Amino acid sequence: MAKALQTTTLNLLISLTILLSFLRLTTANDDYYNSVVQRKHGFKHEKLTHFHFYFHDTVSGKNPTNVQVAEAPTTNTSATFFGMVAVLDDPLTVGPEPTSKQVGRAQGIIAMASLSDVGLLMSLNYVFTEGKYKGSSLSILGHNSILSALREMPVVGGTGLFRFARGYALAKTYMFNATSHDAIVEYNVYVLHF
């Protein structure tokens, strides 16, 4: 009986040693794998980048940058234009003047998605065309209650230098023409990225 107990204890210790060695090896491989993946994809310490630009939304004239592509049968009788969908390719500039230096484009789809207020569902990419971030983009997806003084929308990702980006965008209407419905919106965007 004592010999059987010793054999069982010895087998248990050997099994436990093998299991611990395996766990140690797995952890070492995970650390190696993570460091290789981080180097390959350029992961470093995260940094915070702040952008300030103006979004020029032109609905009127010969060359609109915001074009309605769909509407519901009740859109024109809705107080909030519910059901209207538009595609846009708006310039992003350094200053509020239309002649100000362009740094990118806001490209995407907006939909009037609220029955209770004039609220947009925005799915946009801010595509940068100048400077250090040229060729990179940030993706915005969220609710924009355009009659509010200050609106906040999430940054849900990006490309290029903004892979794995996250953050938020603050929008404030700089100018709105009630006749043409053209607008200039001031944006402050705060992004965490590698």
Side-chain angles (χ1 to χ4, degrees):
M1 176 84 169
K3 185 133 179 124
L5 186 57
Q6 282 180 336
T7 304
T8 303
T9 304
L10 184 60
N11 286 340
L12 185 60
L13 284 173
I14 291 171
S15 297
L16 198 55
T17 303
I18 291 170
L19 180 63
L20 289 173
S21 296
F22 176 75
L23 290 174
R24 205 172 310 128
L25 182 61
T26 302
T27 303
N29 284 340
D30 285 348
D31 291 343
Y32 171 76
Y33 176 77
N34 287 337
S35 68
V36 168
V37 168
Q38 288 175 351
R39 279 196 309 273
K40 180 180 177 186
H41 292 290
F43 291 147
K44 300 173 190 120
H45 293 289
E46 281 186 305
K47 57 185 167 185
L48 176 67
T49 299
H50 169 235
F51 292 98
H52 179 257
F53 51 77
Y54 292 85
F55 176 110
H56 297 262
D57 193 45
T58 305
V59 180
S60 67
K62 294 180 184 177
N63 298 308
T65 59
N66 178 331
V67 177
Q68 182 176 333
V69 295
E71 66 181 36
T74 57
T75 295
N76 292 325
T77 58
S78 167
T80 63
F81 304 101
F82 182 71
M84 188 274 292
V85 178
V87 175
L88 55 91
D89 184 4
D90 290 340
L92 304 175
T93 62
V94 172
E97 304 79 19
T99 57
S100 183
K101 180 181 178 181
Q102 185 173 311
V103 294
R105 307 289 295 186
Q107 300 171 330
I109 298 171
I110 59 171
M112 301 306 277
S114 177
L115 288 167
S116 59
D117 70 344
V118 183
L120 301 173
L121 166 63
M122 298 183 71
S123 176
L124 295 179
N125 287 318
Y126 296 144
V127 180
F128 296 97
T129 57
E130 289 290 323
K132 176 181 177 180
Y133 301 108
K134 181 178 181 177
S136 297
S137 68
L138 291 171
S139 296
I140 307 295
L141 176 64
H143 177 75
N144 183 350
S145 184
I146 60 176
L147 298 180
S148 297
L150 187 64
R151 289 94 66 195
E152 181 177 335
M153 290 152 286
V155 173
V156 296
T159 65
L161 294 173
F162 298 116
R163 288 184 190 133
F164 297 103
R166 65 189 192 285
Y168 63 97
L170 295 174
K172 182 169 58 171
T173 302
Y174 179 82
M175 184 281 300
F176 176 73
N177 184 316
T179 304
S180 68
H181 297 141
D182 293 346
I184 299 172
V185 180
E186 181 180 9
Y187 272 89
N188 281 287
V189 181
Y190 300 89
V191 183
L192 280 172
H193 60 99
F194 293 101

